[in-house]
Amino acid sequence: MNNFFADDLSLQGDRIIEHKPAISDKTLRINLNKNIYGSFAEIGAGQETARHFFRAGAASRTIAKAMSAYDKQFSDAIYTVETDGRYVTETRLHKMLNHEVKLLEERLNHEENPDRLYFSYANTVTTIDFAKKFKGHGWVGIRFQNAPKGAFNEIILHIQFKENDVLLQQRTLGTLGVNLIYGAFYQHHDPKKLIYHLYDHLDKDQLEIDTINFSGPAFKDVDNRLMSLFLVKNGMADAVMFGANGQNILPANTLFRKNVLLLRGSFRPVTVVNIDMYQNSLQQFLAKNETTIDKTVVIFEITLNNLLALGAVDEQDFLDRADLLCALGHTVMISNFKEYFKVIDYISEYSQEKIALTIGVPSLLEIFDAKHYDNLNGGLFEGLGRLFKHSLEIYVYPLQNDEGFIVTSANIQLHDEALKPIYNYFKTEGQIVDIDNFDAQNLQVFSHKVLNKLHAKDQSWQNDVPETVATIIKEKQLFGFESL
């Protein structure tokens, strides 16, 4: 069995030692492996993945069945009806995999082929529309065995098409499918390498993978939050999200028809200030917009730039932050958006409802600092236009300066006072709002100072974080607490 999974590809840290077999070589290698056998169910873009295996030769040794249930009535009869009436969903993909794996187990004689490794590959996608307004997206997955008669493992991912032609999107999907099946059998022992090679013979301008989850005994030690981080680090996704349960979630589903309140920070660790900002800005946002919490999603965003602040990304440090936020029940976004207008552009792709930022005075000063927009043709004016065009609201937490003076959005001094009329316009329009009811005693609390206290064994760090946070840090031994 070991020879079946031998591979000369290697991953050193996050650096790939490249060797990319041709797609035809990948399919032929699988076809010639007499122990890999399964089914293909592809809906929405043709049987693009199965086609590669048929063309490679010896496909009868791999393919038990290949099908496309394009007609909705046929599809519903096979996989049942979705409660929301949609077909390109994660739920649909799971139903497809469940159904096809069940048929494999019911119809194939395991005793005649005791060494066989069964799999079912499925996708449900929608390609670019005729008007080329919506480029399309899809769910792709595989359920497979990595040991004869063993339990099944699963890899599920969501993709966003970027190409402007249906045929190109179909070819891209077929290549991705081959890479996924090949990776499942020959690279499952190293999920990062598997993810990296999903882009073999593809370009990141062709598609984006914005969600991926691994499950099953072969991936029992895999933390899907690290897989999310890997996607962003390697430019495969601009942003990814995971929920309080630590599982990656689709941004489009999370943000769809929801008001969005975004808090960006290091959260290293979460402090009383972070919670004060979150609770008070949320309360004001809901009241100002006459909405409710069930119609609103709160996102805690950590940028890649923040994670790289100490040099290379420290995965354990990232997991400590994630563990803390997840334990508090929050949804977390990891993004590659350095500028605020980029994250607002991203959110507005999926939500047409109200969007708000919760930030401190220093971040507000950065927003109105022209040096941050040198890469835009329109400079600061273009950046501000993109930021505020979605009727964005910014909730500002005050700062206490070295002289003890409390700085708010009302008395702030910009780096360039010539911009004050523009600033005042957004302020007057109610798009820049001071956070009320803040606790002045917390204004000298900063995450980096709390961390320094913790490492110095200064027990007063516990006064600077919520009691729940202190308990979690000690119980889970986060941020190096174990070594104290």
Side-chain angles (χ1 to χ4, degrees):
M1 287 298 299
N2 288 339
N3 290 334
F4 296 152
F5 302 114
D7 204 344
D8 55 355
L9 304 172
S10 62
L11 178 67
Q12 297 180 357
D14 282 345
R15 186 171 66 89
I16 305 294
I17 306 303
E18 297 216 28
H19 171 60
K20 298 180 180 179
I23 293 299
S24 58
D25 290 338
K26 288 187 176 185
T27 51
L28 184 60
R29 183 179 182 185
I30 292 172
N31 283 352
L32 293 179
N33 188 328
K34 63 181 181 179
N35 292 320
I36 299 177
Y37 198 64
S39 62
F40 294 73
E42 304 183 72
I43 298 177
Q47 293 182 292
E48 295 303 314
T49 303
R51 178 172 61 87
H52 284 288
F53 288 87
F54 283 121
R55 286 185 173 183
S60 62
R61 302 177 65 168
T62 298
I63 301 177
K65 181 185 76 172
M67 66 166 290
S68 294
Y70 269 82
D71 184 84
K72 291 182 179 180
Q73 290 179 318
F74 268 86
S75 182
D76 289 342
I78 297 170
Y79 302 119
T80 73
V81 179
E82 300 298 319
T83 56
D84 60 7
R86 296 189 295 165
Y87 291 84
V88 184
T89 65
E90 184 177 12
T91 302
R92 194 63 165 189
L93 181 67
H94 279 293
K95 287 183 177 179
M96 294 170 70
L97 292 173
N98 289 340
H99 179 83
E100 300 304 332
V101 167
K102 182 180 179 183
L103 291 183
L104 287 174
E105 294 179 320
E106 290 176 350
R107 297 178 178 178
L108 297 177
N109 190 325
H110 294 259
E111 300 306 319
E112 291 182 3
N113 301 280
D115 293 328
R116 268 187 176 169
L117 307 174
Y118 292 104
F119 75 91
S120 181
Y121 166 84
N123 65 55
T124 173
V125 306
T126 177
T127 51
I128 192 168
D129 66 331
F130 183 77
K132 298 187 183 297
K133 183 178 180 181
F134 303 103
K135 289 190 176 181
H137 69 106
W139 287 94
V140 182
I142 183 170
R143 192 171 294 175
F144 69 100
Q145 295 173 307
N146 66 310
K149 299 182 180 179
F152 280 86
N153 309 286
E154 192 172 271
I155 308 170
I156 300 291
L157 55 99
H158 182 267
I159 62 173
Q160 298 277 0
F161 290 114
K162 294 187 176 182
E163 295 165 306
N164 290 315
D165 180 85
V166 172
L167 291 177
L168 293 177
Q169 291 185 353
Q170 290 174 338
R171 292 169 186 166
T172 293
L173 179 64
T175 301
L176 175 71
V178 172
N179 289 337
L180 177 60
I181 297 169
Y182 186 88
F185 286 104
Y186 294 108
Q187 298 161 344
H188 66 267
H189 54 282
D190 193 337
K192 286 183 180 178
K193 181 168 65 178
L194 187 157
I195 292 174
Y196 182 88
H197 287 285
L198 289 176
Y199 278 88
D200 281 2
H201 311 291
L202 293 172
D203 191 271
K204 293 162 189 174
D205 290 333
Q206 294 175 267
L207 84 162
E208 175 181 336
I209 301 172
D210 56 6
T211 300
I212 190 165
N213 278 305
F214 295 82
S215 60
F219 305 119
K220 60 183 176 62
D221 297 322
V222 173
D223 191 312
N224 283 308
R225 296 170 300 182
L226 285 179
M227 300 304 103
S228 284
L229 177 61
F230 188 81
L231 287 174
V232 177
K233 278 181 62 179
N234 287 277
M236 300 170 186
D238 291 324
V240 292
M241 290 184 185
F242 51 86
N245 62 358
Q247 290 297 299
N248 297 330
I249 54 180
L250 183 63
N253 287 349
T254 304
L255 302 174
F256 183 63
R257 292 182 177 175
K258 293 285 189 179
N259 302 305
V260 180
L261 179 66
L262 181 81
L263 295 91
R264 173 179 290 186
S266 68
F267 309 114
R268 190 177 182 258
V270 174
T271 68
V272 289
V273 171
N274 297 133
I275 299 302
D276 203 28
M277 293 174 70
Y278 153 61
Q279 293 178 338
N280 287 324
S281 63
L282 177 61
Q283 183 178 1
Q284 287 182 234
F285 174 77
L286 297 178
K288 184 175 186 293
N289 294 285
E290 299 181 340
T291 188
T292 56
I293 188 63
D294 61 299
K295 297 179 181 178
T296 304
V297 59
V298 179
I299 305 295
F300 284 72
E301 181 199 17
I302 304 174
T303 67
L304 185 62
N305 189 60
N306 184 286
L307 292 171
L308 290 169
L310 300 178
V313 173
D314 184 330
E315 290 188 349
Q316 187 56 56
D317 179 80
F318 163 73
L319 286 177
D320 286 352
R321 306 190 210 191
D323 279 343
L324 196 54
L325 290 168
C326 287
L328 292 172
H330 296 305
T331 299
V332 180
M333 172 192 282
I334 310 300
S335 82
N336 200 23
F337 304 126
K338 185 177 180 181
E339 299 89 350
Y340 281 107
F341 68 80
K342 289 185 177 179
V343 70
I344 300 304
D345 280 344
Y346 178 82
I347 292 173
S348 65
E349 289 182 16
Y350 303 115
S351 173
Q352 303 304 311
E353 307 303 320
K354 295 294 297 184
I355 303 174
L357 283 174
T358 298
I359 61 176
V361 165
S363 295
L364 183 62
L365 286 169
E366 289 185 6
I367 286 175
F368 284 87
D369 190 340
K371 71 180 182 182
H372 296 297
Y373 305 97
D374 289 341
N375 60 325
L376 299 178
N377 291 333
L380 177 138
F381 296 104
E382 179 182 344
L384 292 180
R386 290 174 61 178
L387 180 65
F388 286 101
K389 71 177 180 180
H390 305 289
S391 299
L392 173 76
E393 295 174 4
I394 298 180
Y395 290 85
V396 184
Y397 198 79
L399 169 74
Q400 188 172 30
N401 62 23
D402 294 337
E403 289 75 36
F405 182 72
I406 295 179
V407 182
T408 68
S409 72
N411 58 26
I412 191 172
Q413 291 186 335
L414 303 179
H415 295 296
D416 183 355
E417 284 298 309
L419 297 174
K420 205 59 182 283
I422 300 173
Y423 174 88
N424 288 338
Y425 169 79
F426 293 118
K427 177 74 174 169
T428 302
E429 290 294 307
Q431 291 186 260
I432 300 176
V433 183
D434 278 314
I435 293 177
D436 300 325
N437 302 319
F438 62 89
D439 190 341
Q441 295 181 358
N442 295 335
L443 294 183
Q444 291 301 313
V445 175
F446 299 94
S447 290
H448 67 278
K449 292 183 178 180
V450 176
L451 201 61
N452 288 339
K453 286 183 181 181
L454 187 150
H455 290 160
K457 301 182 182 180
D458 180 350
Q459 296 302 312
S460 67
W461 70 267
Q462 297 180 70
N463 300 325
D464 299 335
V465 301
E467 184 177 346
T468 302
V469 171
T471 300
I472 295 170
I473 289 175
K474 290 184 286 186
E475 287 182 351
K476 295 191 174 185
Q477 300 180 330
L478 306 182
F479 306 109
F481 184 82
E482 181 180 15
S483 61
L484 299 183

